[in-house]
């Protein structure tokens, strides 16, 4: 079974631009979560989608948004990029069939904002 | 907000020896899940071990085991017979709400040959 895939793996943007990152979950998984990892703030939860609905949201500004499609693939968008948005963005998928299911992480997208 | 604290930014151990990584957390819940994740240089997060708070027995996975002290809100990871492939960042995490993981700041583990 294929793992979680994220595209692109690396991205370079300039301040003020916007970016879209994609995450394809493991087949059959319906929940997708996004995390931002930076040296200063560590790993922080962005949001989680289940059956195309955002169920949980972290403490990030409205410039960060996401969505999930009917095939469970998810995208996250960051508008008006700032230097501080440079980070590794990780997505994780899970079955979410019960109380809690293991989250399987993708390899991440490394975003550099210049 | 719930917090997870790892007080050891870096640890090192000789190959084949045992090392323990510390983690404490804050919660008002009585039932919850705790995890240790490994992040090697490839950046792929890998689940090492998980503990369900209502279970008294400490979780074990081969060379990895935890010491879960619920009253003290402590959750340490013991790695026995350390191997070079164990070198990585290790993150302690707690589930909060639906599928939201709260992570500690991480401990960088170095294995000395």
């Amino acid at each position: 079974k294929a793992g979680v895939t994220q595209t692109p793996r690396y991205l370079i943007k300039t301040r003020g631009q916007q970016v879209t990152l994609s995450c394809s979950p493991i087949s059959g998984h319906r929940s997708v979560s996004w995390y931002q990892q930076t040296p200063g703030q560590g790993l922080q939860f962005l949001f989680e989608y289940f059956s195309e609905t955002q169920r949980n949201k972290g403490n990030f500004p409205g410039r960060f948004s996401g969505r999930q499609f009917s095939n469970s693939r998810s995208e996250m968008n960051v508008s008006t990029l700032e230097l501080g948005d440079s980070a590794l963005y990780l997505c994780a998928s899970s079955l979410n069939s019960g109380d809690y299911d293991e989250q399987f992480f993708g390899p991440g997208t490394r975003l550099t904002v210049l | 907000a719930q917090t997870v604290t790892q007080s050891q930014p870096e640890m090192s151990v000789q190959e084949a020896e045992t090392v323990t990584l510390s983690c404490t957390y804050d919660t008002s819940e009585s039932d919850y899940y705790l995890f240790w994740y490994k992040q090697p240089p490839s950046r792929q997060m890998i689940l090492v071990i998980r503990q369900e708070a209502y279970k008294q027995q400490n979780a074990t996975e081969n060379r990895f085991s935890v010491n879960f002290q619920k009253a003290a809100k402590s959750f340490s990871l013991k790695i026995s017979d350390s191997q070079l492939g164990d070198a990585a960042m290790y993150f302690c995490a707690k589930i909060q709400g639906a599928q939201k993981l709260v992570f500690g700041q991480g401990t960088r583990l170095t294995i000395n040959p």
Side-chain angles (χ1 to χ4, degrees):
Chain A
K1 186 185 275 191
V4 178
T5 58
Q6 292 186 246
T7 56
R9 292 293 310 278
Y10 302 91
L11 206 50
I12 299 175
K13 292 287 188 178
T14 56
R15 279 180 299 174
Q17 287 186 311
Q18 75 167 18
V19 67
T20 299
L21 311 182
S22 180
C23 173
S24 292
I26 292 172
S27 177
H29 285 194
R30 298 167 64 191
S31 169
V32 174
S33 301
W34 288 90
Y35 296 85
Q36 181 196 63
Q37 185 175 22
T38 60
Q41 298 299 315
L43 280 152
Q44 294 185 288
F45 173 82
L46 281 155
F47 28 65
E48 186 248 350
Y49 286 87
F50 179 79
S51 292
E52 302 179 65
T53 300
Q54 185 182 89
R55 285 198 304 188
N56 210 342
K57 188 177 188 301
N59 189 26
F60 278 81
R63 300 186 297 106
F64 292 81
S65 63
R67 60 178 175 169
Q68 186 180 34
F69 301 95
S70 58
N71 62 358
S72 294
R73 189 178 70 86
S74 177
E75 289 181 346
M76 66 163 282
N77 183 277
V78 188
S79 62
T80 319
L81 284 166
E82 300 177 0
L83 295 179
D85 297 333
S86 294
L88 180 69
Y89 290 89
L90 295 167
C91 85
S93 76
S94 68
L95 277 170
N96 195 216
S97 59
D99 187 19
Y100 175 77
D101 291 297
E102 179 181 344
Q103 294 190 34
F104 294 83
F105 282 82
T109 294
R110 169 75 65 187
L111 172 64
T112 301
V113 182
L114 302 176
Chain B
Q2 297 183 30
T3 57
V4 176
T5 303
Q6 294 178 248
S7 58
Q8 306 153 314
E10 297 185 358
M11 293 281 285
S12 64
V13 64
Q14 291 296 126
E15 193 176 1
E17 293 190 346
T18 296
V19 64
T20 299
L21 309 183
S22 302
C23 173
T24 58
Y25 59 92
D26 175 34
T27 187
S28 57
E29 300 167 311
S30 59
D31 193 20
Y32 45 89
Y33 293 86
L34 295 163
F35 309 86
W36 279 97
Y37 278 89
K38 170 185 177 181
Q39 187 178 43
S42 67
R43 297 293 187 180
Q44 183 88 39
M45 294 284 283
I46 302 163
L47 179 65
V48 174
I49 197 165
R50 85 176 195 180
Q51 175 78 43
E52 296 168 68
Y54 72 89
K55 290 187 177 178
Q56 304 268 346
Q57 190 173 6
N58 290 323
T60 62
E61 286 287 342
N62 301 311
R63 297 182 295 107
F64 298 87
S65 62
V66 300
N67 183 4
F68 173 51
Q69 302 290 326
K70 191 173 183 180
K73 295 180 183 175
S74 169
F75 181 60
S76 61
L77 174 70
K78 185 172 83 171
I79 306 174
S80 304
D81 186 26
S82 298
Q83 300 176 359
L84 295 177
D86 295 334
M89 283 290 291
Y90 285 81
F91 292 94
C92 178
K94 180 186 174 299
I95 194 71
Q96 179 183 329
Q99 302 295 99
K100 174 183 176 180
L101 287 168
V102 177
F103 288 91
Q105 287 297 99
T107 297
R108 183 177 302 281
L109 178 64
T110 302
I111 312 295
N112 300 312

